[in-house]
Amino acid sequence: MSSPQGHGLSYAAVASVCGAPPEVSPGGSAAPTLERAFAVPSRKAADGSEAGALRGVLGNIVMLLEGGATHVAVATDHVVESFRNDLWPGYKDGSGIEPDLLSQFHPTEDALRLLGVAVWPMIEFEADDAMAAGAAMAADDDRVRQVVICTPDKDLGQCVGGKVVQWNRRADEIIDVAGVEAKFGVSPESIPDYLGLVGDNADGFPGLRGWGAKSTSVMLSHYGHIENIPDSHDDWAPKVRGAAGLAATLAGERDLALLFRRIATVRTDAPVSDSVDELAWRGPHRGFEELCEGIGAENLLERVMNLAAYRADL
């Protein structure tokens, strides 16, 4: 099962927040981790409903727990539309999501609660905002050494810096500030400006006509933010191809670019937990066994119960 880019179940794990946690390792993190799941194989539950995404998210969270995560939270798009849909009529909505995937959003939240995981269901905000807010919350904790956002998505690159990095799990690649700059040619702080000019087809806003990745990175690497770019190309310090046309477009549509930047900026004031202490995993709740049996995940149940017993003995 797959979903369009930008539509998915996002989840976060915060681990080993006390003392000196070890470095991040594949198959589970020993630092705060934020992640998104999109493509998973189709699987049917006992009642005939689709449960592939639900099983996939549960399985990945359990992998993080098995890898050493002790504090876990999950961010979801409880409602697909957000405040951004009021800002731009073409912004992504639920129309592109496969019904079988959409039907699993709320059951997945319930399943994660039964697993014993804190859930951050977003209504006015988006799961990306929750990941950004969770990363900021964890990074502010002196006990946390590193926060890992486990997706290479360009919009979350703006969160990178200080304790926060991204992790491309498929490539097993950590993306720090230098990695963001190497990939996009701009600093993390300029990522919203970059998307404001280039656009983001996955999220449904086009950017400005003629402003491609190369010209945008050259200009923002020098000026930093859209409002700092002069109206006249005669005043531009960097030299870019088609400067006159780009300058004319920007001068005429600067407000639109600033609107797109606002849309691309993740919000760190999304409602998440107040402290990483609220995310401590203490084992599954009553009903988890019945859930696993209903979705054909008996092996997952065994792993969770073994892990809970092991943690109880520590």
Side-chain angles (χ1 to χ4, degrees):
M1 176 183 298
S2 61
S3 66
Q5 183 72 19
H7 294 309
L9 297 170
S10 299
Y11 51 97
V14 181
S16 299
V17 297
C18 298
E23 295 295 333
V24 175
S25 60
S29 171
T33 305
L34 307 177
E35 186 161 353
R36 165 178 291 156
F38 286 109
V40 291
S42 175
R43 293 294 295 269
K44 297 295 184 181
D47 62 3
S49 62
E50 179 58 51
L54 189 159
R55 286 170 51 107
V57 172
L58 284 179
N60 281 317
I61 292 295
V62 172
M63 285 177 60
L64 289 174
L65 290 168
E66 291 172 332
T70 57
H71 295 65
V72 178
V74 173
T76 66
D77 289 317
H78 187 78
V79 176
V80 175
E81 291 80 9
S82 71
F83 72 90
R84 293 179 177 88
N85 292 89
D86 296 328
L87 298 176
W88 183 250
Y91 193 72
K92 65 181 180 182
D93 56 24
S95 60
I97 307 178
E98 296 176 9
D100 279 346
L101 179 60
L102 184 61
S103 68
Q104 297 174 77
F105 276 35
H106 296 174
T108 296
E109 294 172 353
D110 295 336
L112 286 161
R113 292 187 183 100
L114 290 177
L115 176 59
V117 171
V119 177
W120 301 332
M122 294 296 105
I123 297 177
E124 296 182 7
F125 294 88
E126 298 178 39
D128 281 0
D129 298 313
M131 288 194 283
M137 178 270 290
D140 283 342
D141 193 314
D142 291 337
R143 299 168 297 172
V144 174
R145 188 173 68 186
Q146 187 177 54
V147 181
V148 183
I149 302 178
C150 292
T151 171
D153 286 0
K154 54 183 176 293
D155 51 346
L156 286 167
Q158 66 193 270
C159 301
V160 171
K163 297 179 182 179
V164 182
V165 298
Q166 288 181 281
W167 182 22
N168 184 339
R169 292 188 70 182
R170 291 186 177 183
D172 190 19
E173 175 190 15
I174 291 292
I175 304 170
D176 55 10
V177 171
V180 172
E181 293 174 343
K183 185 174 183 180
F184 299 105
V186 301
S187 67
E189 293 80 7
S190 296
I191 289 294
D193 300 85
Y194 177 92
L195 294 174
L197 291 171
V198 174
D200 190 337
N201 290 333
D203 284 345
F205 58 93
L208 300 192
R209 184 180 66 257
W211 281 83
K214 185 173 182 179
S215 56
T216 298
S217 64
V218 169
M219 295 300 292
L220 290 178
S221 65
H222 182 83
Y223 291 109
H225 299 291
I226 292 170
E227 61 268 28
N228 297 334
I229 302 176
D231 280 339
S232 173
H233 73 280
D234 291 330
D235 297 325
W236 289 4
K239 303 302 180 183
V240 296
R241 179 177 298 181
L246 293 175
T249 298
L250 180 59
E253 300 181 356
R254 190 182 295 268
D255 287 344
L256 185 60
L258 293 174
L259 172 62
F260 292 151
R261 181 179 71 178
R262 179 183 175 189
I263 292 172
T265 301
V266 291
R267 296 274 295 271
T268 58
D269 59 340
V272 297
S273 303
D274 293 328
S275 167
V276 292
D277 294 321
E278 298 177 22
L279 313 182
W281 186 74
R282 298 182 174 87
H285 299 314
R286 180 175 298 178
F288 186 70
E289 179 177 357
E290 181 180 355
L291 166 72
C292 289
E293 292 173 351
I295 62 174
E298 289 81 1
N299 177 261
L300 186 66
L301 173 63
E302 181 180 3
R303 290 165 56 193
V304 170
M305 298 310 295
N306 288 340
L307 181 60
Y310 171 76
R311 294 278 180 91
D313 290 337
L314 294 179

